[in-house]
C-alpha cells in the first residue's frame, strides 16, 4: 500500500458555502463534479495518478459531524498556522491550535468547518 488514504469525502449541508470556506483557508480552487443525486467539489492534486485527493460532498448519505466519525488530517505544509490563521475569518472555529506532535512527526491542529465537521491539519517539521 503506497498511501494510507486514497480518497476522502467531507460532508456538507451547503456545498457552495463549504467550497468558499476551503478555498479561502487553503488558497485553492475546488473543481465541481455533480451527478443527479450527489454534488461534489474536488480538491486539486498535482499528481492525479499517485496523488491523494478528495471532495466536499452533498448527498442524502453524507452528514457533517464534529463529534463522531473519523478524524481526517489534511496536509498543511509548510506550517499548520498558515491554514489555522484563516479559519475564523472564513467562518470556521479552531478547536486545537498548532500543537507539536513530536520533533520527528511535526505539528497538528484541529478546526470545525462551516458545515460542522471536525477536521485536522498536519505539517512536517
Amino acid at each position: 500500500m503506497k498511501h494510507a488514504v486514497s480518497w476522502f469525502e467531507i460532508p456538507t449541508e451547503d456545498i457552495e458555502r463549504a467550497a468558499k470556506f476551503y478555498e479561502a483557508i487553503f488558497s485553492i480552487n475546488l473543481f465541481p463534479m455533480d451527478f443527479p443525486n450527489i454534488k461534489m467539489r474536488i480538491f486539486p492534486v498535482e499528481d492525479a495518478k499517485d496523488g491523494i485527493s478528495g471532495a466536499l460532498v452533498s448527498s442524502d448519505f453524507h452528514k457533517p459531524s464534529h463529534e463522531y466519525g473519523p478524524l481526517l488530517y489534511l496536509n498543511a505544509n509548510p506550517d499548520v498556522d498558515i491554514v489555522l490563521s484563516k479559519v475564523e475569518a472564513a467562518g470556521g472555529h479552531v478547536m486545537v491550535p498548532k500543537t507539536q506532535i513530536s520533533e520527528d512527526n511535526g505539528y497538528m491542529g484541529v478546526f470545525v468547518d462551516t458545515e460542522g465537521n471536525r477536521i485536522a491539519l498536519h505539517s512536517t517539521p
Side-chain angles (χ1 to χ4, degrees):
M1 179 177 353
K2 188 170 183 177
H3 303 287
V5 175
S6 61
W7 178 258
F8 62 86
E9 294 181 349
I10 300 173
T12 69
E13 291 288 334
D14 181 329
I15 197 158
E16 297 308 328
R17 175 180 65 201
K20 184 177 177 182
F21 174 81
Y22 282 92
E23 288 175 340
I25 69 169
F26 284 108
S27 300
I28 59 172
N29 291 313
L30 299 172
F31 305 98
M33 182 181 293
D34 295 336
F35 303 96
N37 295 322
I38 190 169
K39 292 181 180 179
M40 302 176 99
R41 299 298 177 266
I42 311 295
F43 284 83
V45 62
E46 288 181 28
D47 184 353
K49 182 179 178 193
D50 292 324
I52 297 169
S53 188
L56 302 174
V57 184
S58 177
S59 78
D60 290 340
F61 59 92
H62 289 84
K63 300 295 177 203
S65 174
H66 69 278
E67 297 171 337
Y68 305 106
L71 182 57
L72 173 71
Y73 279 76
L74 298 177
N75 184 340
N77 281 321
D79 186 346
V80 165
D81 266 341
I82 293 170
V83 177
L84 286 177
S85 71
K86 300 175 186 178
V87 167
E88 304 268 340
H93 170 72
V94 175
M95 289 180 68
V96 179
K98 180 179 178 180
T99 303
Q100 185 174 33
I101 301 165
S102 72
E103 286 187 30
D104 293 334
N105 293 308
Y107 298 87
M108 58 84 64
V110 181
F111 64 88
V112 176
D113 70 10
T114 55
E115 307 308 294
N117 294 301
R118 176 183 55 130
I119 303 292
L121 299 169
H122 175 257
S123 62
T124 54

